Amino acid sequence: METESYTNGGGVAKEIGIANKQTIRGNDFVLRFLAFVLTLVAAIVLGVSKQNELVPVQLVPTLPPINVPASAKWSHMSAFVYFVIVNAIACAYAVISLVLSLANRGKAKCLSLTIILFDLIMMALLYSSVGAAAAVGLIGYKGNTHVRWNKVCDMFGKFCGQVATAVAISLVGSILFLLLVLFAMLNLHKNSRH
C-alpha cells in the first residue's frame, strides 16, 4: 500500500492509506482464478458422483427383506442437476471475467460495472444452488419422519460424502464472488471520494 502524509491545521501528521491499483488488480486476479478452480472442482466432484448398492427392501413384515440394486447419482435429483449446472456456468463466467478484467484494467467503466453486475448474479446463483443441494443432502442424511422419507446416507455413504464435499467447495467459491463484489464496491467508494 502506498501512503500519503499531510498535516492538518493542528500540526498533527496523518497518514492516509491509498490502495495500490496493482494490488487491487492482483487481488481481483487471484479471487477470480480461485473462484474458477473451486467452481470447476465442485461441478466435477458432484458430476462424477455415483454409487451402486444392494438395498434391502421389506415388502411384507413377515418375510425376509429382498436385496434390490439401487444407484445414487447426481442426475437423479433436480437440486443436484441445478448445482452442477450453476457451478459450470460460474466456472465459465470466472474465466471470461478474468480475461475481460485483465484486458480492461479499469479503463472502461461500463465494462467494470457489467462485470460487477455479473459477479452479483453468479454469487446469487451459487448461494441458491448451495442451499438447494445442502437441503436435499440434509434430507438424505437425516431423512424426514413426518413424511416417511428414509435417510439414505447410511447406505450411500460415498455418494453423500461427495455431495457434502462439493457443497463445501462451492460455498467457498460463492464467498469468493462475494469478496469480489465487496472489493469492487470499496473501489467504487474510494474513487467517488477523490
Side-chain angles (χ1 to χ4, degrees):
M1 269 184 125
E2 296 175 3
T3 58
E4 183 178 301
S5 297
Y6 72 92
T7 306
N8 66 2
V12 178
K14 291 185 178 181
E15 290 188 359
I16 299 174
I18 299 173
N20 187 347
K21 288 191 180 211
Q22 296 288 53
T23 304
I24 291 172
R25 264 189 245 130
N27 289 340
D28 188 72
F29 175 81
V30 169
L31 289 174
R32 287 186 193 285
F33 181 76
L34 287 174
F36 157 71
V37 170
L38 291 173
T39 53
L40 176 66
V41 170
I44 290 172
V45 167
L46 190 56
V48 300
S49 63
K50 181 179 180 182
Q51 186 176 358
N52 297 314
E53 292 294 330
L54 289 174
V55 177
V57 176
Q58 184 93 33
L59 297 175
V60 180
T62 57
L63 295 175
I66 300 171
N67 287 330
V68 177
S71 65
K73 190 175 181 185
W74 69 275
S75 59
H76 294 166
M77 295 294 294
S78 58
F80 294 155
V81 172
Y82 177 64
F83 179 88
V84 170
I85 290 171
V86 165
N87 275 277
I89 290 170
C91 173
Y93 166 74
V95 170
I96 292 168
S97 68
L98 183 62
V99 170
L100 289 175
S101 65
L102 285 175
N104 185 30
R105 297 182 188 254
K107 295 174 188 167
K109 298 290 183 202
C110 183
L111 181 60
S112 296
L113 289 174
T114 303
I115 290 173
I116 294 169
L117 175 66
F118 278 100
D119 286 348
L120 273 168
I121 292 169
M122 287 305 117
M123 180 188 71
L125 284 173
L126 283 169
Y127 276 123
S128 69
S129 73
V130 165
V136 170
L138 189 60
I139 289 173
Y141 179 70
K142 290 191 168 210
N144 188 330
T145 57
H146 301 291
V147 291
R148 297 184 186 207
W149 290 344
N150 296 329
K151 57 184 176 179
V152 295
C153 285
D154 54 347
M155 290 177 274
F156 296 101
K158 178 184 167 209
F159 177 77
C160 289
Q162 286 178 290
V163 169
T165 301
V167 166
I169 291 169
S170 184
L171 180 61
V172 175
S174 56
I175 291 169
L176 293 178
F177 276 105
L178 173 65
L179 290 175
L180 282 167
V181 171
L182 290 176
F183 286 150
M185 287 173 48
L186 288 172
N187 193 29
L188 286 173
H189 179 69
K190 179 186 72 98
N191 289 339
S192 70
R193 287 177 33 191
H194 289 121

